[in-house]
Amino acid sequence: MKAYITIDTIYINVRYPYADIFKKWYRYAEGVDHRRLKEGIAVDNFVVRGGSTGYKISIWQHDARIFLTEDVDEKRGEGKGMGIWVQLGPKFIIHHINNLQAAVKELLEDAGVKEDFPMRITRIDIAVDLLGAEMDKQDLNLWFHGWVGRTKVSKIVFNSKTGMLETLYVGRRESPVY
């Protein structure tokens, strides 16, 4: 059986200590209805949207997302701020696979980060596509109760038209394993 294993998302924390980038972008979201933010507001080469997990706003460039907050070192104290959270989607990763570090730096520069700051990868999500696997013949009981590892099956997806099993998720987006 052939399989493709691909990186689905790379999560990066940038130890950015200042609130200036947040303020630059938040002015487009301040006072805007959350439904409008969910749709997004086009500004320059980005789309401004609501944030997640403590980050007030996010700015998107295709499937690369930068999450911003005012809760940075400048406000919270050295080493206590959240910095900037970057999520790189599969299209960004594939497009820039040969120069990923330079592409991340350019993305941050486009957002307004002009200097280098410490960065670390905090999580990598992978996708496994099993070619020829008959999903309708998968034993879900075995997946739920026979899985051995740091995490477990968290979600199953059935095709809305056929009702057949389509996807199994192992772990959660909030956890270190997904």
Side-chain angles (χ1 to χ4, degrees):
M1 175 180 301
K2 287 188 176 182
Y4 291 107
I5 299 174
T6 55
I7 297 174
D8 184 64
T9 309
I10 297 175
Y11 299 80
I12 301 169
N13 177 261
V14 182
R15 297 301 308 165
Y16 190 77
Y18 309 112
D20 59 337
I21 304 302
F22 168 79
K23 289 175 185 173
K24 172 186 175 178
W25 293 99
Y26 186 65
R27 64 187 171 135
Y28 300 105
E30 190 170 19
V32 175
D33 184 83
H34 75 284
R35 291 174 292 234
R36 176 73 179 101
L37 273 180
K38 193 171 186 173
E39 286 178 25
I41 301 166
V43 179
D44 297 329
N45 291 328
F46 289 94
V47 175
V48 179
R49 292 194 166 114
S52 177
T53 58
Y55 291 86
K56 209 175 241 183
I57 60 166
S58 61
I59 56 175
W60 296 49
Q61 197 175 76
H62 306 289
D63 70 343
R65 304 165 297 275
I66 299 173
F67 289 80
L68 302 166
T69 181
E70 59 195 350
D71 290 330
V72 292
D73 288 359
E74 187 176 60
K75 179 178 180 181
R76 298 286 178 202
E78 190 173 333
K80 296 180 182 175
M82 294 170 62
I84 294 174
W85 183 30
V86 179
Q87 294 180 2
L88 307 175
K91 291 177 185 172
F92 184 94
I93 295 166
I94 290 167
H95 185 74
H96 299 288
I97 195 66
N98 293 321
N99 63 345
L100 200 53
Q101 288 178 326
V104 170
K105 184 175 179 179
E106 186 177 324
L107 176 70
L108 289 167
E109 284 176 358
D110 286 350
V113 178
K114 299 301 181 198
E115 300 173 47
D116 289 334
F117 290 89
M119 294 184 213
R120 65 186 176 97
I121 295 174
T122 57
R123 190 171 96 197
I124 298 176
D125 292 349
I126 61 169
V128 179
D129 291 316
L130 300 173
L131 304 180
E134 295 183 54
M135 294 301 286
D136 60 328
K137 295 190 176 160
Q138 294 295 314
D139 181 354
L140 292 179
N141 191 43
L142 182 61
W143 278 98
F144 277 102
H145 303 292
W147 181 265
V148 177
R150 283 187 60 189
T151 190
K152 60 184 178 182
V153 174
S154 58
K155 181 178 176 184
I156 55 174
V157 178
F158 295 93
N159 184 295
S160 61
K161 292 179 182 169
T162 65
M164 295 178 69
L165 177 64
E166 190 171 86
T167 305
L168 290 163
Y169 289 91
V170 177
R172 298 190 181 280
R173 289 201 182 275
E174 303 82 27
S175 74
V177 176
Y178 183 64

